[in-house]
Amino acid sequence: MTHEHSTYRLALVGFGSVGRGLAEILSLHRRRLQERYGVDVRIVAVCTRRWCVYDPGGIDAAALLQSAASGAVGGWDCARAWSADEMIASVDADVLVEASPTDMTTGEPATGYIRAAMARGMHVITSNKGPIALHFAELRRLAQERGVLLGFEATVMAGTPALRLGWSDLAGCEIQEVRGIVNGTTNFILSAMERGMDYASALAEAQRLGYAEADPTGDVEGYDAAGKAAILANVLMDAHLTPMDVEREGITGITPDMVAAATAAGERWKLIARVWRDAQVVHAVVRPMRLRIDHPLAGVAGVTNALTISTDLLGDVTIIGPGAGGVATGFAIISDLLALHRMRKK
């Protein structure tokens, strides 16, 4: 099958695991995207806090990865002394890929980057939870006014299409409740405790494997899951919740005795993000819950994520898949880009 090719020039803010995952996909599969979908994806600019490069003709993704790993990008011929704001204001690109570090209190500076890109008529695809958890209604309105795409699939469950399942594929249903395991670190720890570890040992193992940060507070106290619960509420139920509106309890109080008691009762502890509608009010909570072993979410172990969406017409629909990782999240950027391509072809 032949396709009329469309070229998409990407400008990236941030080159951490998401940006590198995207570059890895493009270094391996750019030709497949061209041949199968008629999409020619080129990275033309990357800006981090330490360096910025810009080549309107496109930057080789494999060379970019290699240079970033060795710390040599700043010496490239196409290096620029730009801040991210200057890059967004100056670059000749179609899509801003916003993958800077998340701030769940203000959503900045990412939200400012997104506004600036949209003001220039650029489409925006973000993996950053802050802007979508805190400013989704405003950013969606701006995107509509400017006639651009706002892509945000990467903000919950990485590349597993949980959000698109809800807002697109289940359109026509009334979504009554969403329950899910949306943080892999805590799920790994609880799975390890079920195998006999205490909390401290399970956390140490998660840190050793790179699943938990040196400071694990954002994960184990439920802040990350609360941000994702706010996104689920806002995107799937048209709510206006912030992470601060989400009732939150982490897993630090779970003891081996509690795990053993659940096991004896045919149940299993999981950190669950739950969003539901009560009349016209949408509520959201994150807390450890005991689920029966036969519940679809109970069988989800390790760092895997899952979401059960309860609807009026289909009943419960559950999606299970990876919720983190550079390539998995980079894939979410690609899936939003392909959605943009389909939208533009209509």
Side-chain angles (χ1 to χ4, degrees), residues 24-59:
E24 195 175 323
I25 291 169
L26 293 177
S27 71
L28 296 171
H29 303 300
R30 185 174 168 217
R31 178 166 291 182
R32 179 172 77 189
L33 293 169
Q34 289 175 326
E35 292 173 354
R36 192 174 295 178
Y37 305 107
V39 171
D40 183 11
V41 183
R42 299 179 188 176
I43 296 173
V44 297
V46 183
C47 207
T48 74
R49 282 175 287 195
R50 294 186 305 281
W51 50 267
C52 191
V53 291
Y54 173 49
D55 184 341
I59 300 166

PDB file of all heavy atoms in Angstrom, residues 24-59:
ATOM      1  N   GLU A  24      14.789   6.632  20.019  1.00  0.00           N
ATOM      2  CA  GLU A  24      15.112   5.221  19.771  1.00  0.00           C
ATOM      3  C   GLU A  24      14.116   4.607  18.783  1.00  0.00           C
ATOM      4  O   GLU A  24      14.506   3.891  17.849  1.00  0.00           O
ATOM      5  CB  GLU A  24      15.079   4.460  21.103  1.00  0.00           C
ATOM      6  CG  GLU A  24      15.729   3.100  21.062  1.00  0.00           C
ATOM      7  CD  GLU A  24      15.770   2.443  22.441  1.00  0.00           C
ATOM      8  OE1 GLU A  24      15.966   3.149  23.445  1.00  0.00           O
ATOM      9  OE2 GLU A  24      15.588   1.217  22.481  1.00  0.00           O
ATOM     10  N   ILE A  25      12.829   4.898  18.992  1.00  0.00           N
ATOM     11  CA  ILE A  25      11.802   4.388  18.063  1.00  0.00           C
ATOM     12  C   ILE A  25      12.066   4.909  16.657  1.00  0.00           C
ATOM     13  O   ILE A  25      12.022   4.154  15.674  1.00  0.00           O
ATOM     14  CB  ILE A  25      10.401   4.799  18.542  1.00  0.00           C
ATOM     15  CG1 ILE A  25      10.031   4.062  19.838  1.00  0.00           C
ATOM     16  CG2 ILE A  25       9.350   4.491  17.457  1.00  0.00           C
ATOM     17  CD1 ILE A  25       8.784   4.594  20.525  1.00  0.00           C
ATOM     18  N   LEU A  26      12.358   6.200  16.533  1.00  0.00           N
ATOM     19  CA  LEU A  26      12.572   6.785  15.206  1.00  0.00           C
ATOM     20  C   LEU A  26      13.850   6.257  14.564  1.00  0.00           C
ATOM     21  O   LEU A  26      13.904   6.064  13.344  1.00  0.00           O
ATOM     22  CB  LEU A  26      12.615   8.312  15.295  1.00  0.00           C
ATOM     23  CG  LEU A  26      11.286   8.969  15.692  1.00  0.00           C
ATOM     24  CD1 LEU A  26      11.457  10.474  15.813  1.00  0.00           C
ATOM     25  CD2 LEU A  26      10.186   8.635  14.683  1.00  0.00           C
ATOM     26  N   SER A  27      14.879   5.983  15.377  1.00  0.00           N
ATOM     27  CA  SER A  27      16.120   5.453  14.805  1.00  0.00           C
ATOM     28  C   SER A  27      15.911   4.059  14.230  1.00  0.00           C
ATOM     29  O   SER A  27      16.567   3.665  13.270  1.00  0.00           O
ATOM     30  CB  SER A  27      17.241   5.443  15.856  1.00  0.00           C
ATOM     31  OG  SER A  27      17.014   4.447  16.834  1.00  0.00           O
ATOM     32  N   LEU A  28      14.975   3.306  14.808  1.00  0.00           N
ATOM     33  CA  LEU A  28      14.730   1.928  14.372  1.00  0.00           C
ATOM     34  C   LEU A  28      13.578   1.809  13.371  1.00  0.00           C
ATOM     35  O   LEU A  28      13.590   0.938  12.499  1.00  0.00           O
ATOM     36  CB  LEU A  28      14.418   1.044  15.588  1.00  0.00           C
ATOM     37  CG  LEU A  28      15.542   0.865  16.609  1.00  0.00           C
ATOM     38  CD1 LEU A  28      15.017   0.165  17.853  1.00  0.00           C
ATOM     39  CD2 LEU A  28      16.700   0.080  15.999  1.00  0.00           C
ATOM     40  N   HIS A  29      12.558   2.668  13.505  1.00  0.00           N
ATOM     41  CA  HIS A  29      11.297   2.421  12.789  1.00  0.00           C
ATOM     42  C   HIS A  29      10.806   3.590  11.940  1.00  0.00           C
ATOM     43  O   HIS A  29       9.653   3.591  11.525  1.00  0.00           O
ATOM     44  CB  HIS A  29      10.202   2.045  13.795  1.00  0.00           C
ATOM     45  CG  HIS A  29      10.541   0.861  14.643  1.00  0.00           C
ATOM     46  ND1 HIS A  29      10.813  -0.390  14.109  1.00  0.00           N
ATOM     47  CD2 HIS A  29      10.682   0.729  15.985  1.00  0.00           C
ATOM     48  CE1 HIS A  29      11.091  -1.241  15.089  1.00  0.00           C
ATOM     49  NE2 HIS A  29      11.023  -0.581  16.233  1.00  0.00           N
ATOM     50  N   ARG A  30      11.680   4.549  11.673  1.00  0.00           N
ATOM     51  CA  ARG A  30      11.229   5.694  10.874  1.00  0.00           C
ATOM     52  C   ARG A  30      10.739   5.247   9.493  1.00  0.00           C
ATOM     53  O   ARG A  30       9.717   5.713   8.988  1.00  0.00           O
ATOM     54  CB  ARG A  30      12.387   6.699  10.724  1.00  0.00           C
ATOM     55  CG  ARG A  30      11.971   7.963  10.015  1.00  0.00           C
ATOM     56  CD  ARG A  30      13.086   9.003  10.006  1.00  0.00           C
ATOM     57  NE  ARG A  30      12.749  10.074   9.084  1.00  0.00           N
ATOM     58  CZ  ARG A  30      13.624  10.698   8.307  1.00  0.00           C
ATOM     59  NH1 ARG A  30      14.899  10.354   8.342  1.00  0.00           N
ATOM     60  NH2 ARG A  30      13.240  11.656   7.488  1.00  0.00           N
ATOM     61  N   ARG A  31      11.445   4.288   8.896  1.00  0.00           N
ATOM     62  CA  ARG A  31      11.045   3.823   7.555  1.00  0.00           C
ATOM     63  C   ARG A  31       9.689   3.127   7.605  1.00  0.00           C
ATOM     64  O   ARG A  31       8.866   3.292   6.700  1.00  0.00           O
ATOM     65  CB  ARG A  31      12.110   2.890   6.986  1.00  0.00           C
ATOM     66  CG  ARG A  31      11.741   2.322   5.611  1.00  0.00           C
ATOM     67  CD  ARG A  31      12.912   1.697   4.912  1.00  0.00           C
ATOM     68  NE  ARG A  31      13.884   2.696   4.507  1.00  0.00           N
ATOM     69  CZ  ARG A  31      15.000   2.409   3.836  1.00  0.00           C
ATOM     70  NH1 ARG A  31      15.277   1.162   3.506  1.00  0.00           N
ATOM     71  NH2 ARG A  31      15.840   3.364   3.492  1.00  0.00           N
ATOM     72  N   ARG A  32       9.459   2.340   8.665  1.00  0.00           N
ATOM     73  CA  ARG A  32       8.160   1.672   8.795  1.00  0.00           C
ATOM     74  C   ARG A  32       7.025   2.693   8.866  1.00  0.00           C
ATOM     75  O   ARG A  32       5.972   2.508   8.247  1.00  0.00           O
ATOM     76  CB  ARG A  32       8.144   0.780  10.040  1.00  0.00           C
ATOM     77  CG  ARG A  32       6.814   0.058  10.251  1.00  0.00           C
ATOM     78  CD  ARG A  32       6.888  -0.960  11.361  1.00  0.00           C
ATOM     79  NE  ARG A  32       6.840  -0.370  12.682  1.00  0.00           N
ATOM     80  CZ  ARG A  32       7.068  -1.036  13.802  1.00  0.00           C
ATOM     81  NH1 ARG A  32       7.399  -2.318  13.767  1.00  0.00           N
ATOM     82  NH2 ARG A  32       6.997  -0.439  14.964  1.00  0.00           N
ATOM     83  N   LEU A  33       7.233   3.769   9.611  1.00  0.00           N
ATOM     84  CA  LEU A  33       6.212   4.809   9.710  1.00  0.00           C
ATOM     85  C   LEU A  33       5.956   5.454   8.345  1.00  0.00           C
ATOM     86  O   LEU A  33       4.804   5.767   8.006  1.00  0.00           O
ATOM     87  CB  LEU A  33       6.639   5.879  10.718  1.00  0.00           C
ATOM     88  CG  LEU A  33       6.701   5.428  12.184  1.00  0.00           C
ATOM     89  CD1 LEU A  33       7.382   6.479  13.039  1.00  0.00           C
ATOM     90  CD2 LEU A  33       5.311   5.117  12.717  1.00  0.00           C
ATOM     91  N   GLN A  34       7.027   5.604   7.553  1.00  0.00           N
ATOM     92  CA  GLN A  34       6.868   6.166   6.214  1.00  0.00           C
ATOM     93  C   GLN A  34       6.096   5.219   5.303  1.00  0.00           C
ATOM     94  O   GLN A  34       5.135   5.614   4.633  1.00  0.00           O
ATOM     95  CB  GLN A  34       8.245   6.450   5.595  1.00  0.00           C
ATOM     96  CG  GLN A  34       8.982   7.615   6.230  1.00  0.00           C
ATOM     97  CD  GLN A  34      10.398   7.756   5.655  1.00  0.00           C
ATOM     98  OE1 GLN A  34      11.051   6.776   5.322  1.00  0.00           O
ATOM     99  NE2 GLN A  34      10.861   8.986   5.556  1.00  0.00           N
ATOM    100  N   GLU A  35       6.519   3.953   5.293  1.00  0.00           N
ATOM    101  CA  GLU A  35       5.950   3.007   4.335  1.00  0.00           C
ATOM    102  C   GLU A  35       4.529   2.603   4.703  1.00  0.00           C
ATOM    103  O   GLU A  35       3.666   2.464   3.832  1.00  0.00           O
ATOM    104  CB  GLU A  35       6.841   1.759   4.242  1.00  0.00           C
ATOM    105  CG  GLU A  35       8.200   2.059   3.598  1.00  0.00           C
ATOM    106  CD  GLU A  35       9.144   0.878   3.655  1.00  0.00           C
ATOM    107  OE1 GLU A  35       8.795  -0.143   4.300  1.00  0.00           O
ATOM    108  OE2 GLU A  35      10.242   0.971   3.063  1.00  0.00           O
ATOM    109  N   ARG A  36       4.271   2.405   6.011  1.00  0.00           N
ATOM    110  CA  ARG A  36       2.969   1.892   6.416  1.00  0.00           C
ATOM    111  C   ARG A  36       1.914   2.987   6.562  1.00  0.00           C
ATOM    112  O   ARG A  36       0.744   2.781   6.256  1.00  0.00           O
ATOM    113  CB  ARG A  36       3.116   1.120   7.732  1.00  0.00           C
ATOM    114  CG  ARG A  36       1.883   0.302   8.077  1.00  0.00           C
ATOM    115  CD  ARG A  36       2.108  -0.567   9.293  1.00  0.00           C
ATOM    116  NE  ARG A  36       3.116  -1.595   9.082  1.00  0.00           N
ATOM    117  CZ  ARG A  36       3.510  -2.455  10.019  1.00  0.00           C
ATOM    118  NH1 ARG A  36       2.997  -2.376  11.235  1.00  0.00           N
ATOM    119  NH2 ARG A  36       4.425  -3.366   9.759  1.00  0.00           N
ATOM    120  N   TYR A  37       2.352   4.164   7.020  1.00  0.00           N
ATOM    121  CA  TYR A  37       1.369   5.208   7.352  1.00  0.00           C
ATOM    122  C   TYR A  37       1.544   6.487   6.543  1.00  0.00           C
ATOM    123  O   TYR A  37       0.717   7.402   6.662  1.00  0.00           O
ATOM    124  CB  TYR A  37       1.445   5.546   8.850  1.00  0.00           C
ATOM    125  CG  TYR A  37       1.288   4.327   9.724  1.00  0.00           C
ATOM    126  CD1 TYR A  37       2.385   3.780  10.401  1.00  0.00           C
ATOM    127  CD2 TYR A  37       0.052   3.689   9.863  1.00  0.00           C
ATOM    128  CE1 TYR A  37       2.255   2.659  11.191  1.00  0.00           C
ATOM    129  CE2 TYR A  37      -0.087   2.556  10.650  1.00  0.00           C
ATOM    130  CZ  TYR A  37       1.021   2.046  11.314  1.00  0.00           C
ATOM    131  OH  TYR A  37       0.892   0.922  12.090  1.00  0.00           O
ATOM    132  N   GLY A  38       2.612   6.577   5.751  1.00  0.00           N
ATOM    133  CA  GLY A  38       2.834   7.805   4.990  1.00  0.00           C
ATOM    134  C   GLY A  38       3.269   8.964   5.867  1.00  0.00           C
ATOM    135  O   GLY A  38       3.022  10.125   5.541  1.00  0.00           O
ATOM    136  N   VAL A  39       3.931   8.660   6.973  1.00  0.00           N
ATOM    137  CA  VAL A  39       4.330   9.673   7.949  1.00  0.00           C
ATOM    138  C   VAL A  39       5.855   9.741   7.999  1.00  0.00           C
ATOM    139  O   VAL A  39       6.508   8.760   8.341  1.00  0.00           O
ATOM    140  CB  VAL A  39       3.765   9.321   9.354  1.00  0.00           C
ATOM    141  CG1 VAL A  39       4.352  10.227  10.408  1.00  0.00           C
ATOM    142  CG2 VAL A  39       2.252   9.400   9.353  1.00  0.00           C
ATOM    143  N   ASP A  40       6.399  10.890   7.637  1.00  0.00           N
ATOM    144  CA  ASP A  40       7.843  11.104   7.726  1.00  0.00           C
ATOM    145  C   ASP A  40       8.106  11.981   8.946  1.00  0.00           C
ATOM    146  O   ASP A  40       7.783  13.173   8.941  1.00  0.00           O
ATOM    147  CB  ASP A  40       8.357  11.783   6.449  1.00  0.00           C
ATOM    148  CG  ASP A  40       9.865  11.970   6.456  1.00  0.00           C
ATOM    149  OD1 ASP A  40      10.532  11.383   7.342  1.00  0.00           O
ATOM    150  OD2 ASP A  40      10.380  12.718   5.613  1.00  0.00           O
ATOM    151  N   VAL A  41       8.649  11.381  10.002  1.00  0.00           N
ATOM    152  CA  VAL A  41       8.855  12.084  11.268  1.00  0.00           C
ATOM    153  C   VAL A  41      10.317  12.482  11.387  1.00  0.00           C
ATOM    154  O   VAL A  41      11.208  11.638  11.316  1.00  0.00           O
ATOM    155  CB  VAL A  41       8.451  11.193  12.472  1.00  0.00           C
ATOM    156  CG1 VAL A  41       8.598  11.978  13.774  1.00  0.00           C
ATOM    157  CG2 VAL A  41       7.027  10.677  12.316  1.00  0.00           C
ATOM    158  N   ARG A  42      10.551  13.771  11.584  1.00  0.00           N
ATOM    159  CA  ARG A  42      11.912  14.267  11.721  1.00  0.00           C
ATOM    160  C   ARG A  42      12.040  15.093  12.995  1.00  0.00           C
ATOM    161  O   ARG A  42      11.230  15.995  13.238  1.00  0.00           O
ATOM    162  CB  ARG A  42      12.280  15.161  10.526  1.00  0.00           C
ATOM    163  CG  ARG A  42      12.227  14.453   9.190  1.00  0.00           C
ATOM    164  CD  ARG A  42      12.567  15.392   8.057  1.00  0.00           C
ATOM    165  NE  ARG A  42      12.327  14.760   6.762  1.00  0.00           N
ATOM    166  CZ  ARG A  42      12.469  15.358   5.589  1.00  0.00           C
ATOM    167  NH1 ARG A  42      12.859  16.626   5.551  1.00  0.00           N
ATOM    168  NH2 ARG A  42      12.232  14.705   4.479  1.00  0.00           N
ATOM    169  N   ILE A  43      13.035  14.778  13.795  1.00  0.00           N
ATOM    170  CA  ILE A  43      13.375  15.647  14.917  1.00  0.00           C
ATOM    171  C   ILE A  43      14.226  16.779  14.360  1.00  0.00           C
ATOM    172  O   ILE A  43      15.280  16.537  13.773  1.00  0.00           O
ATOM    173  CB  ILE A  43      14.152  14.879  15.998  1.00  0.00           C
ATOM    174  CG1 ILE A  43      13.279  13.777  16.611  1.00  0.00           C
ATOM    175  CG2 ILE A  43      14.641  15.834  17.090  1.00  0.00           C
ATOM    176  CD1 ILE A  43      14.019  12.853  17.565  1.00  0.00           C
ATOM    177  N   VAL A  44      13.750  18.018  14.505  1.00  0.00           N
ATOM    178  CA  VAL A  44      14.528  19.163  13.999  1.00  0.00           C
ATOM    179  C   VAL A  44      15.175  19.964  15.126  1.00  0.00           C
ATOM    180  O   VAL A  44      16.115  20.731  14.882  1.00  0.00           O
ATOM    181  CB  VAL A  44      13.681  20.094  13.111  1.00  0.00           C
ATOM    182  CG1 VAL A  44      13.196  19.358  11.867  1.00  0.00           C
ATOM    183  CG2 VAL A  44      12.510  20.703  13.878  1.00  0.00           C
ATOM    184  N   ALA A  45      14.682  19.804  16.357  1.00  0.00           N
ATOM    185  CA  ALA A  45      15.260  20.565  17.466  1.00  0.00           C
ATOM    186  C   ALA A  45      15.076  19.798  18.769  1.00  0.00           C
ATOM    187  O   ALA A  45      14.063  19.114  18.950  1.00  0.00           O
ATOM    188  CB  ALA A  45      14.609  21.943  17.578  1.00  0.00           C
ATOM    189  N   VAL A  46      16.052  19.917  19.653  1.00  0.00           N
ATOM    190  CA  VAL A  46      15.949  19.392  21.012  1.00  0.00           C
ATOM    191  C   VAL A  46      16.546  20.436  21.945  1.00  0.00           C
ATOM    192  O   VAL A  46      17.641  20.950  21.686  1.00  0.00           O
ATOM    193  CB  VAL A  46      16.714  18.066  21.205  1.00  0.00           C
ATOM    194  CG1 VAL A  46      16.506  17.547  22.628  1.00  0.00           C
ATOM    195  CG2 VAL A  46      16.272  17.017  20.195  1.00  0.00           C
ATOM    196  N   CYS A  47      15.819  20.743  23.015  1.00  0.00           N
ATOM    197  CA  CYS A  47      16.323  21.697  23.986  1.00  0.00           C
ATOM    198  C   CYS A  47      16.202  21.101  25.382  1.00  0.00           C
ATOM    199  O   CYS A  47      15.138  20.612  25.767  1.00  0.00           O
ATOM    200  CB  CYS A  47      15.519  22.994  23.897  1.00  0.00           C
ATOM    201  SG  CYS A  47      16.461  24.432  24.410  1.00  0.00           S
ATOM    202  N   THR A  48      17.292  21.087  26.133  1.00  0.00           N
ATOM    203  CA  THR A  48      17.293  20.660  27.531  1.00  0.00           C
ATOM    204  C   THR A  48      17.821  21.834  28.361  1.00  0.00           C
ATOM    205  O   THR A  48      18.123  22.901  27.816  1.00  0.00           O
ATOM    206  CB  THR A  48      18.185  19.425  27.749  1.00  0.00           C
ATOM    207  OG1 THR A  48      19.558  19.835  27.684  1.00  0.00           O
ATOM    208  CG2 THR A  48      17.928  18.344  26.697  1.00  0.00           C
ATOM    209  N   ARG A  49      17.941  21.621  29.662  1.00  0.00           N
ATOM    210  CA  ARG A  49      18.467  22.707  30.500  1.00  0.00           C
ATOM    211  C   ARG A  49      19.948  22.938  30.248  1.00  0.00           C
ATOM    212  O   ARG A  49      20.484  23.994  30.598  1.00  0.00           O
ATOM    213  CB  ARG A  49      18.233  22.379  31.977  1.00  0.00           C
ATOM    214  CG  ARG A  49      16.794  22.639  32.406  1.00  0.00           C
ATOM    215  CD  ARG A  49      16.533  22.210  33.819  1.00  0.00           C
ATOM    216  NE  ARG A  49      16.475  20.754  33.945  1.00  0.00           N
ATOM    217  CZ  ARG A  49      15.982  20.112  34.991  1.00  0.00           C
ATOM    218  NH1 ARG A  49      15.514  20.802  36.015  1.00  0.00           N
ATOM    219  NH2 ARG A  49      15.951  18.786  35.041  1.00  0.00           N
ATOM    220  N   ARG A  50      20.625  21.982  29.613  1.00  0.00           N
ATOM    221  CA  ARG A  50      22.075  22.089  29.416  1.00  0.00           C
ATOM    222  C   ARG A  50      22.474  22.401  27.981  1.00  0.00           C
ATOM    223  O   ARG A  50      23.529  22.973  27.745  1.00  0.00           O
ATOM    224  CB  ARG A  50      22.774  20.795  29.864  1.00  0.00           C
ATOM    225  CG  ARG A  50      22.683  20.534  31.352  1.00  0.00           C
ATOM    226  CD  ARG A  50      23.499  19.320  31.769  1.00  0.00           C
ATOM    227  NE  ARG A  50      23.133  18.116  31.027  1.00  0.00           N
ATOM    228  CZ  ARG A  50      22.052  17.379  31.297  1.00  0.00           C
ATOM    229  NH1 ARG A  50      21.236  17.744  32.272  1.00  0.00           N
ATOM    230  NH2 ARG A  50      21.784  16.299  30.600  1.00  0.00           N
ATOM    231  N   TRP A  51      21.668  22.020  27.018  1.00  0.00           N
ATOM    232  CA  TRP A  51      22.066  22.209  25.623  1.00  0.00           C
ATOM    233  C   TRP A  51      20.841  22.301  24.713  1.00  0.00           C
ATOM    234  O   TRP A  51      19.734  21.930  25.104  1.00  0.00           O
ATOM    235  CB  TRP A  51      22.993  21.088  25.140  1.00  0.00           C
ATOM    236  CG  TRP A  51      22.510  19.688  25.422  1.00  0.00           C
ATOM    237  CD1 TRP A  51      22.825  18.923  26.509  1.00  0.00           C
ATOM    238  CD2 TRP A  51      21.613  18.887  24.624  1.00  0.00           C
ATOM    239  NE1 TRP A  51      22.196  17.703  26.441  1.00  0.00           N
ATOM    240  CE2 TRP A  51      21.447  17.640  25.295  1.00  0.00           C
ATOM    241  CE3 TRP A  51      20.948  19.081  23.421  1.00  0.00           C
ATOM    242  CZ2 TRP A  51      20.641  16.619  24.794  1.00  0.00           C
ATOM    243  CZ3 TRP A  51      20.142  18.066  22.914  1.00  0.00           C
ATOM    244  CH2 TRP A  51      19.996  16.843  23.600  1.00  0.00           C
ATOM    245  N   CYS A  52      21.067  22.824  23.518  1.00  0.00           N
ATOM    246  CA  CYS A  52      19.996  22.943  22.531  1.00  0.00           C
ATOM    247  C   CYS A  52      20.606  22.758  21.146  1.00  0.00           C
ATOM    248  O   CYS A  52      21.694  23.284  20.869  1.00  0.00           O
ATOM    249  CB  CYS A  52      19.342  24.324  22.637  1.00  0.00           C
ATOM    250  SG  CYS A  52      17.819  24.486  21.681  1.00  0.00           S
ATOM    251  N   VAL A  53      19.943  21.977  20.307  1.00  0.00           N
ATOM    252  CA  VAL A  53      20.394  21.786  18.923  1.00  0.00           C
ATOM    253  C   VAL A  53      19.213  22.022  17.986  1.00  0.00           C
ATOM    254  O   VAL A  53      18.057  21.754  18.341  1.00  0.00           O
ATOM    255  CB  VAL A  53      20.981  20.371  18.685  1.00  0.00           C
ATOM    256  CG1 VAL A  53      22.294  20.204  19.428  1.00  0.00           C
ATOM    257  CG2 VAL A  53      20.002  19.275  19.104  1.00  0.00           C
ATOM    258  N   TYR A  54      19.506  22.547  16.795  1.00  0.00           N
ATOM    259  CA  TYR A  54      18.455  22.830  15.811  1.00  0.00           C
ATOM    260  C   TYR A  54      19.018  22.684  14.407  1.00  0.00           C
ATOM    261  O   TYR A  54      20.005  23.324  14.052  1.00  0.00           O
ATOM    262  CB  TYR A  54      17.909  24.244  16.005  1.00  0.00           C
ATOM    263  CG  TYR A  54      16.936  24.680  14.932  1.00  0.00           C
ATOM    264  CD1 TYR A  54      15.875  23.863  14.543  1.00  0.00           C
ATOM    265  CD2 TYR A  54      17.077  25.920  14.296  1.00  0.00           C
ATOM    266  CE1 TYR A  54      14.976  24.266  13.557  1.00  0.00           C
ATOM    267  CE2 TYR A  54      16.182  26.329  13.320  1.00  0.00           C
ATOM    268  CZ  TYR A  54      15.143  25.495  12.951  1.00  0.00           C
ATOM    269  OH  TYR A  54      14.255  25.898  11.968  1.00  0.00           O
ATOM    270  N   ASP A  55      18.364  21.823  13.642  1.00  0.00           N
ATOM    271  CA  ASP A  55      18.692  21.674  12.222  1.00  0.00           C
ATOM    272  C   ASP A  55      17.375  21.522  11.479  1.00  0.00           C
ATOM    273  O   ASP A  55      16.706  20.487  11.600  1.00  0.00           O
ATOM    274  CB  ASP A  55      19.579  20.446  11.987  1.00  0.00           C
ATOM    275  CG  ASP A  55      20.015  20.308  10.539  1.00  0.00           C
ATOM    276  OD1 ASP A  55      19.367  20.926   9.666  1.00  0.00           O
ATOM    277  OD2 ASP A  55      20.989  19.589  10.278  1.00  0.00           O
ATOM    278  N   PRO A  56      16.958  22.546  10.724  1.00  0.00           N
ATOM    279  CA  PRO A  56      15.656  22.482  10.047  1.00  0.00           C
ATOM    280  C   PRO A  56      15.538  21.323   9.068  1.00  0.00           C
ATOM    281  O   PRO A  56      14.426  20.905   8.724  1.00  0.00           O
ATOM    282  CB  PRO A  56      15.543  23.835   9.332  1.00  0.00           C
ATOM    283  CG  PRO A  56      16.908  24.418   9.341  1.00  0.00           C
ATOM    284  CD  PRO A  56      17.645  23.820  10.494  1.00  0.00           C
ATOM    285  N   GLY A  57      16.670  20.765   8.637  1.00  0.00           N
ATOM    286  CA  GLY A  57      16.629  19.624   7.726  1.00  0.00           C
ATOM    287  C   GLY A  57      16.416  18.296   8.435  1.00  0.00           C
ATOM    288  O   GLY A  57      16.165  17.276   7.791  1.00  0.00           O
ATOM    289  N   GLY A  58      16.524  18.289   9.761  1.00  0.00           N
ATOM    290  CA  GLY A  58      16.348  17.055  10.530  1.00  0.00           C
ATOM    291  C   GLY A  58      17.654  16.591  11.156  1.00  0.00           C
ATOM    292  O   GLY A  58      18.733  16.739  10.572  1.00  0.00           O
ATOM    293  N   ILE A  59      17.548  16.053  12.347  1.00  0.00           N
ATOM    294  CA  ILE A  59      18.699  15.560  13.105  1.00  0.00           C
ATOM    295  C   ILE A  59      18.612  14.039  13.172  1.00  0.00           C
ATOM    296  O   ILE A  59      17.561  13.495  13.518  1.00  0.00           O
ATOM    297  CB  ILE A  59      18.695  16.143  14.536  1.00  0.00           C
ATOM    298  CG1 ILE A  59      18.776  17.670  14.487  1.00  0.00           C
ATOM    299  CG2 ILE A  59      19.835  15.580  15.370  1.00  0.00           C
ATOM    300  CD1 ILE A  59      18.438  18.348  15.811  1.00  0.00           C
TER     301      ILE A  59
END
